[in-house]
Amino acid sequence: MKKYSLFQRLNIVLRSLIFTIFMSTVTFFYSFFCVAAKILPFRCRYAIIMFWNKTIIHALRFLCKVEYKIEGLENIPKDRVGIILSKHQSTWETFMVPTLFHHSAIILKKELLWVPFFGWGLSIIDPIAINRRDTKNAMDQVISQGKKCLSEGRWILVFPEGTRIPAGHTGKYRLGGARLAAATHAPIIPVAHNAGRHWPKRGFIKKPGTIRLVIGKLIETEGRNPEDVMEQAKTWIEETVKELGG
């Protein structure tokens, strides 16, 4: 944390510690509420998780002085849904992006649902959970479940790099989201941000400042192959992240 005085560094460490304790405590108790909420309709369950997401985001703002600015909301169509391809640098975007898109279904590895407390919350919003070890059937599963979600008016959230990539680096973009879009003729909407500068991967310290998240224009996929679609999305995401200083 260069350019900070000793007092400022200690202040940031203390704020980060308080936030971590708060998030862990809230997640622990809220997870039991989520388990009980499984009997409720999907809309209610989704609203419950979004309330938790927003609570964590606001706590980060209040305790760690990590603000955010959302750009490009006008690019989200009101009469269509599609596939969200988002840069993955931090935990922050996993909280923020689902709050921006209607009833989004997250594509994730099935093992995450087994994580105590955190996984219980994920399970009640009906994600698309796949077994990555079963590569032969995983894509078929994504397409079949993806079609169902799209027909229900749900956006589908994909982190094409698969795991959080440190700020300033680019991971390997997997084709799953683009293949789903091509198979369903659904549009892709790319999302770029610089959250890794303030909440880095495996980073205890939350650095004060403003996270910028940019929502790009729709990328149509009908009649196009997944490789071309992904290359267009990747180019826009990485160039935008670079402009954001991420």
Side-chain angles (χ1 to χ4, degrees):
M1 292 182 292
K2 58 183 180 181
K3 296 184 180 179
Y4 291 115
S5 67
L6 178 59
F7 174 79
Q8 289 172 321
R9 292 182 184 183
L10 291 175
N11 183 265
I12 291 172
V13 170
L14 179 60
R15 287 177 178 273
S16 299
L17 176 61
I18 294 172
F19 171 77
T20 300
I21 293 172
F22 174 83
M23 187 174 74
S24 300
T25 303
V26 169
T27 301
F28 174 79
F29 287 104
Y30 210 70
S31 64
F32 294 100
F33 179 57
C34 290
V35 172
K38 283 190 174 183
I39 62 173
L40 297 176
F42 173 75
R43 286 179 178 235
C44 295
R45 287 182 275 131
Y46 195 85
I48 287 170
I49 292 301
M50 291 308 102
F51 178 79
W52 175 55
N53 283 17
K54 292 175 182 178
T55 297
I56 300 303
I57 292 167
H58 289 310
L60 186 68
R61 292 179 67 187
F62 178 74
L63 295 172
C64 299
K65 305 303 179 184
V66 178
E67 304 286 341
Y68 63 85
K69 180 181 180 182
I70 310 298
E71 303 170 42
L73 286 171
E74 68 278 3
N75 292 326
I76 303 177
K78 300 185 184 303
D79 57 347
R80 304 175 70 184
V81 292
I83 317 301
I84 310 156
L85 294 185
S86 174
K87 183 67 178 175
H88 201 14
Q89 289 185 343
S90 172
T91 303
W92 181 87
E93 64 269 15
T94 65
F95 288 110
M96 175 57 77
V97 176
T99 69
L100 304 175
F101 293 86
H102 181 70
H103 289 170
S104 54
I106 306 173
I107 296 181
L108 47 77
K109 55 186 179 181
K110 185 181 294 184
E111 291 82 358
L112 284 177
L113 301 182
W114 303 338
V115 177
F117 314 120
F118 179 77
W120 302 350
L122 279 177
S123 68
I124 73 168
I125 55 173
D126 298 346
I128 300 175
I130 60 173
N131 182 359
R132 285 187 176 174
R133 296 177 182 175
D134 186 7
T135 54
K136 182 178 179 181
N137 297 314
M139 196 63 235
D140 291 338
Q141 184 182 1
V142 166
I143 291 175
S144 63
Q145 291 190 45
K147 285 181 177 179
K148 180 176 181 294
C149 290
L150 291 168
S151 68
E152 294 171 348
R154 301 181 64 189
W155 284 88
I156 298 174
L157 173 57
V158 183
F159 296 108
E161 291 167 292
T163 187
R164 289 171 295 171
I165 303 298
H169 295 78
T170 301
K172 180 180 179 181
Y173 278 61
R174 295 172 173 82
L175 285 173
R179 285 175 177 161
L180 172 60
T184 58
H185 307 305
I188 279 174
I189 194 163
V191 174
H193 59 82
N194 61 352
R197 294 183 61 189
H198 303 277
W199 186 343
K201 179 180 180 180
R202 299 192 185 94
F204 166 72
I205 299 299
K206 312 301 184 287
K207 300 177 183 178
T210 300
I211 295 172
R212 289 179 61 195
L213 181 145
V214 183
I215 301 167
K217 294 182 179 180
L218 286 184
I219 298 173
E220 299 294 348
T221 63
E222 189 168 359
R224 302 179 62 186
N225 64 58
E227 290 79 8
D228 288 345
V229 170
M230 181 57 77
E231 185 60 31
Q232 181 180 349
K234 175 184 176 181
T235 298
W236 183 88
I237 291 171
E238 293 302 324
E239 288 181 353
T240 305
V241 169
K242 189 175 181 179
E243 292 174 3
L244 297 175

